[in-house]
Each structure stands twice: as structure tokens, then as C-alpha cells.
Amino acid sequence: MIAAGDIRSGKPKLKLIVFGILALVLALRLANLSSAMLSPLSYQPGPDEDYYQRFGQAVAAGVGQNSPEFTSLDPGYGYLLGAIFKLVGVNLFAVYLLQALADAATAVAVLVIGRMLGRPQAGLYGALVYGVASSAIMYSATLLKATWVASYLAWWAAGALALIRSERKLPWVLFGCYCAVGVALRANLLLLALLSLLLPGLCARQTQSLRNWGAKSALIAGGMVLAFLPWSIRNYHAYGGISPLPHNGGISLHQVYNAENPTAELWVPSFVNYLHPSEIWRGYAAEASARAGRALSPPEVDRYWRDEALSFIEQHPGETILHVLKKGLGFLSAREVPDNRSLAEEKLFSPVLRWLPSPTVWLFAMGLAGLVWFAIEDRRWPIIAAPIAVSWLTVAIFFASDRFRFHAAPMLAVCSGVWIDRTIRGMHARRKWPVLKFALLAGVIAALSLYLGSQSPPAAIRWDQIAWGYIKMGKIPEAQALAERIAAQQPDNGAILEALGYTAIARQNYDEAARYYQRAIELRPRSHVAHYNLARALLLLGRNSQAEVEAKIAVSLNPAPDYQALLTKIQADAIAR
């Protein structure tokens, strides 16, 4: 075994081990990145990916970044992408490469945390555990902020461990600024920021006077205010609000808690066209304004839906508690709950992800057992537990999504390292009872995870995403072959029929395209993409009046510039005739 003193003395053998682990972590991410750049899934972004790419482009161009659409979600990642796009253009490879490095830095944070806890071997084991977690590797090559949130939380823990040993004022202020940066990255981290005010309670006992505690908490709060100020100024200029938070909290709450959503899972109402951030904002804003009888400002829209959700919760307290408990327990489930990206889909195109096992069961089993073991031995355990708790609360209260569970991965990796380290040490010291006790606890958690996973069906592969990815790669024959195979198996898959319609247009078979789109619209009448493409096909067939009807529907559902341009062209042609 490697002793703590070896870490401090920097022995060559230890340095080689650390270098080897970090090299493996980075190599796995780069190997996956090389596969991702050839995968159709990288060419057909998920809803949030599309949103943040357009947000980043608006920031880089300095046009539209303060529109209600882009002030409705957490701004941090959009501005980060905007800075990258400003420097190197809209280059997703550059983003993914930077995220691979950021994720490798998360493994470094796990190493650092292990050292700060006086458990250097636990840090080594934890970094290795995190390094081979397939979900971490997958998210690093997506246009999602999951990688950055996980890295932020790992360095938050490292910073908190360093902070509680400091009596200087500046570090406490800077830590407050860092907490506010996290809230800009993901608004639910406001809870972690508030928990940070309790950190003075973990300082050395001789400095724990109430006055000292209050002074340090005030320094953290002051740092938060300073870092929140730019976002408050942005929101004030955008719509007159002074809160630094985005105006989607009430909408998100209503998506979960309402009479039409009996499962309290991810859901969209009938007045929203697609499960896409922009569409969700437009649909909710339009519906709230229609009900109010006047145009509402973004904060008013958010307030309206928050009141609706809270009213439902007040009327159904027992049902709400049961849903929260069910989703909270489901946090441990071995079954993947995909959101934007799916590990099952990514494995189809990435050998790295295909070879590595899904991390959920073993990461939760070792991680939670290790957290309990650590809590018994070290009073600093709340710092490690806090990011896990915030991730759990996000899933329990809002959406049971793998993307939100993943935020806990770095701290679960740290605790897994503790579990492995303590198990090995206990076996060497012939302390069988503690080893047996915590091995049993890990086994119970693993069994519970597998049982919970068996209670729900596996997520379906979204073949339409893959087909559209092939289309955007210019691989029309591959897209057509895939879509035809899936349509034969799933004749009522409207999204696949839309893909077939597009391939028919590409082959100049406009009659076939029109038939596919008409059937797709029967299945998904609010698909503005289908209405728009049907209008294109009808126009190419010379059926201008029908094309105009479809173009008008597309514009009414989504006033996109392309849709308006097509409608204008059809109407201009009609006048010219």
C-alpha cells in the first residue's frame, strides 16, 4: 500500500501511478471523442443541446442573448459556449475537447480531495473509479453542461475542505463568488450555496464562536452578492427583473405537479409543441398570457405557473409526498433514465462505452456505503455528502433523469475510494467485522438498485434521432434504410415517418414525401417541422394553395424565419400568377 507520507514526499513510483491514472482518464475520453465525431448522434443534438448551441451563437454574435427564450434557463453554460464560439467559431470539437479536459480535471479534484482528507489512497481509487465511469465519458462529448456541473461540485468540495482551515477573509469571499458561479451554471445549486453558509461550523473547534461563524458566513454571502450582480443586471435590462435566477422555476415545477401528470415525471402539456426548452417557454408563455387576457412579462409567466403548481401541491399533499419519495428512491435505480442523450444509444457507436459497464449499480453501492463509513470516522463528512444530497433532491423534487443523477458521480467516486481503501486496509489488519459490515451494506444497496431497475422497462432507442443524424451527415441511403426498417416495426412512429419524408424529398420523390408527412401530421398534429416540410413537398408538386395552408400552420406553431420565408415565397408566387 501507499502511505500518506509517500504522497507528500512525491516518490517517483507514486507520481507514475498518479500520471498513469490521469492518462487513462484522458485517453478514454479522447477515444470516445474520436467515435463521437463520427456518430450520427453528434449531428442530431438533443433539445437542450440545440438550445445551448443557439444560445452560445447568440452570445458570440451579441444578438438575441437577452431574449426571453435565452433568459429562461441557466445562463452560465450559454455564455461559456459563447466565449468559445467567439474565439474559434462554432466548433463543437473544440467544445468537446475542452470538456474532456474538464472531466479529467474532475478526476484530479477527486485525487486532491482524497489527499485533503488524509486518505491519499482513497483519492487514487476514487479517481480511477470516476475515470472509468461510462456516463462521465459520454457526457464529456455532448453539448450538455453535465460535465461542468460535476466538475464544479468536485472542486466545490475541495475548496470547502481548504476553506474550513483558513482564517483569512479573502478566501471566504472568493468561495462565495464561486458558489454564485455554480448557481449561474445550474440554478438548483442555490441550495448548495445556502448550505455553504454553514461551513464555518466545520472549522476547528477553537474558532467556532457564534460571532466568528456569523462573520465567515457574511463573507461568503458578500461574495455571492458580488458574483450574482452581473446576472441581476442582465435580467434587469432584459425584462426589468432584479433576481439573478432564470425565470423557469415555476414552469419546471408545473411540468411535474399538475392534474394532467399523474406520475410527476418529465411531461409537456398539450399547448407545448415539443420537449424543447424554447418550445416549452413559448408554449407556457402563450398559454399564461391567453389565460390572463394580456401579454405577461417573463417573471409574471413564471409566477403564474408557480402558483398553479403550488396550488396543486396544496390540494394533493399526500400524492405529492408519495411522488417525491418514489423518485427519491428511484435515484438508486440501475435502470437508465435518459434525457437528451442515452448511454444505450451512445454504445451503438462508441466502442469505449460499449466495453465499459454501466456505473450506476457499483458506483451507488460502493459510494453510499463508503459515505456511511466516512461519516462515522470524520466530522467533515457533510462537505462530501452535500453535493450528493443536492443531486438527490433535484431528482426527487423535479425530474428523475440520469443527467441530474450524474452530478453526484464525483463525490460517489470519492466515497467509493474510501470504501475500497478501508476494505483493503481492514483485510490486511484482519479486522473482519467492519469489512463484512460495510461489504454487506454495499451488497444491500446494489441489490436494491438492481431491484428498482427491474421494476421499469428499459428506455426505448430513439431511432429517429439516429436517422436524422445520418440525414445531417449527408448519408441519405443509411437514413432511409434505418427509417424504413423502424417504420415497418413501428408504423405509428411519427418522428420516423418525418425522417422518411425528408429522405423522399432528397430523392425528389415528392408524392411519397407528401404521403409520409401527411401521416406524420395525423400522429403529431403540433409538429411544425412536419407542416413545414409538407408545405415544401406540396410546393414542389405545384399544389400551392395546399402548401400555403401547411406553411401558415407551421408559422402559427413556431414563427421561425425559415417558415416565414417559405410562406412569404408561396404568397408572392400566388400574387405573381
Side-chain angles (χ1 to χ4, degrees):
M1 293 193 298
I2 299 166
D6 294 341
I7 294 280
R8 289 187 292 271
S9 62
K11 290 185 176 180
K13 182 179 178 181
L14 177 63
K15 290 182 178 180
L16 186 61
I17 293 172
V18 172
F19 176 80
I21 290 174
L22 296 180
L24 175 64
V25 171
L26 185 57
L28 289 172
R29 281 144 184 79
L30 294 179
N32 178 66
L33 175 55
S34 68
S35 300
M37 298 311 295
L38 301 174
S39 166
L41 292 169
S42 295
Y43 287 80
Q44 176 63 15
D48 285 48
E49 291 179 284
D50 175 72
Y51 173 89
Y52 274 109
Q53 181 174 339
R54 293 188 299 105
F55 189 174
Q57 290 172 313
V59 171
V63 178
Q65 72 271 26
N66 291 335
S67 66
E69 175 186 9
F70 294 133
T71 55
S72 65
L73 286 191
D74 316 306
Y77 190 54
Y79 275 81
L80 174 63
L81 291 178
I84 297 171
F85 294 163
K86 188 74 173 178
L87 290 172
V88 299
V90 184
N91 186 330
L92 299 190
F93 176 77
V95 175
Y96 298 156
L97 182 58
L98 183 60
Q99 290 182 170
L101 294 172
D103 208 40
T106 304
V108 173
V110 173
L111 281 167
V112 170
I113 290 169
R115 181 174 178 177
M116 297 178 77
L117 293 174
R119 302 165 185 258
Q121 279 190 276
L124 288 171
Y125 296 135
L128 185 58
V129 165
Y130 183 80
V132 300
S134 55
S135 52
I137 297 169
M138 176 190 74
Y139 283 122
S140 67
T142 67
L143 210 62
L144 296 169
K145 56 192 170 190
T147 294
W148 296 99
V149 175
S151 188
Y152 169 87
L153 290 171
W155 287 108
W156 178 91
L161 289 169
L163 188 67
I164 60 174
R165 297 186 294 187
S166 175
E167 290 301 315
R168 296 170 57 219
K169 294 180 180 179
L170 183 59
W172 291 86
V173 175
L174 293 177
F175 191 79
C177 292
Y178 185 74
C179 290
V181 169
V183 177
L185 188 61
R186 178 160 286 288
N188 68 305
L189 295 183
L190 179 62
L191 175 59
L192 190 67
L194 296 176
L195 289 175
S196 299
L197 300 176
L198 303 177
L199 282 175
L202 296 175
C203 292
R205 284 189 169 86
Q206 61 268 26
T207 65
Q208 279 191 27
S209 71
L210 186 60
R211 181 177 180 181
N212 187 280
W213 185 330
K216 289 176 177 176
S217 296
L219 291 171
I220 293 177
M224 289 185 204
V225 171
L226 286 174
F228 278 144
L229 194 57
W231 304 115
S232 293
I233 293 172
R234 172 188 183 242
N235 290 345
Y236 180 78
H237 284 298
Y239 51 80
I242 59 172
S243 170
L245 301 177
H247 52 78
N248 73 326
I251 292 173
S252 296
L253 201 62
H254 183 267
Q255 280 186 266
V256 181
Y257 302 106
N258 65 81
E260 297 179 67
N261 186 7
T263 62
E265 297 287 353
L266 186 60
W267 168 90
V268 291
S270 58
F271 51 79
V272 171
N273 299 326
Y274 295 100
L275 187 61
H276 184 291
S278 299
E279 296 286 348
I280 291 169
W281 164 250
R282 277 194 288 266
Y284 267 95
E287 181 68 13
S289 296
R291 294 184 186 186
R294 63 181 179 87
L296 298 181
S297 67
E300 289 176 322
V301 170
D302 190 49
R303 194 178 308 117
Y304 176 86
W305 293 113
R306 181 181 291 107
D307 290 344
E308 288 286 302
L310 292 177
S311 175
F312 175 84
I313 291 170
E314 288 174 4
Q315 293 171 19
H316 304 85
E319 181 182 334
T320 300
I321 291 171
L322 285 176
H323 285 314
V324 169
L325 292 175
K326 181 181 177 182
K327 288 188 289 183
L329 188 60
F331 183 75
L332 300 176
S333 173
R335 184 72 69 197
E336 181 189 17
V337 185
D339 176 8
N340 282 267
R341 290 296 187 102
S342 163
L343 190 57
E345 293 170 2
E346 299 293 333
K347 286 181 177 181
L348 297 174
F349 303 98
S350 172
V352 172
L353 298 179
R354 200 156 50 240
W355 294 336
L356 292 172
S358 176
T360 306
V361 176
W362 51 267
L363 191 59
F364 275 107
M366 293 191 300
L368 294 180
L371 176 61
V372 175
W373 208 336
F374 177 66
I376 292 172
E377 299 177 343
D378 197 311
R379 64 188 294 271
R380 295 171 295 177
W381 68 268
I383 291 175
I384 306 302
I388 300 174
V390 170
S391 177
W392 177 81
L393 281 170
T394 303
V395 167
I397 296 174
F398 290 100
F399 307 124
S401 162
D402 268 32
R403 187 156 53 109
F404 300 137
R405 287 201 296 181
F406 170 66
H407 298 163
M411 292 303 98
L412 288 172
V414 170
C415 296
S416 295
V418 170
W419 185 88
I420 295 169
D421 180 44
R422 298 302 291 158
T423 298
I424 293 174
R425 289 177 182 273
M427 292 174 67
H428 284 182
R430 300 183 182 276
R431 299 180 63 219
K432 295 181 180 180
W433 170 237
V435 171
L436 181 61
K437 181 170 56 176
F438 286 99
L440 180 62
L441 177 58
V444 169
I445 295 170
L448 178 60
S449 177
L450 290 168
Y451 171 76
L452 292 171
S454 70
Q455 300 305 297
S456 57
I461 300 292
R462 298 168 300 173
W463 295 108
D464 59 294
Q465 289 284 104
I466 299 172
W468 278 106
Y470 279 131
I471 288 170
K472 292 184 177 181
M473 294 173 77
K475 297 183 176 182
I476 300 300
E478 288 88 340
Q480 182 184 350
L482 174 63
E484 286 177 345
R485 176 169 64 85
I486 300 304
Q489 301 169 4
Q490 305 171 16
D492 291 337
N493 188 327
I496 277 291
L497 294 175
E498 288 185 35
L500 280 172
Y502 193 94
T503 63
I505 288 179
R507 291 181 284 109
Q508 299 184 349
N509 192 335
Y510 306 126
D511 275 319
E512 182 180 298
R515 287 195 298 273
Y516 280 129
Y517 280 121
Q518 285 166 345
R519 175 57 180 156
I521 288 170
E522 290 176 9
L523 296 168
R524 304 202 306 172
R526 292 189 67 86
S527 172
H528 51 73
V529 175
H531 285 288
Y532 168 72
N533 282 318
L534 176 56
R536 289 176 58 219
L538 292 170
L539 184 62
L540 291 166
L541 288 168
R543 294 153 62 178
N544 292 42
S545 59
Q546 292 175 278
E548 183 177 359
V549 171
E550 295 299 328
K552 284 181 177 178
I553 295 173
V555 170
S556 69
L557 291 171
N558 181 12
D562 289 350
Y563 299 0
Q564 293 175 334
L566 179 63
L567 178 59
T568 301
K569 180 181 183 304
I570 294 171
Q571 292 173 335
D573 289 347
I575 293 172
R577 287 197 304 273

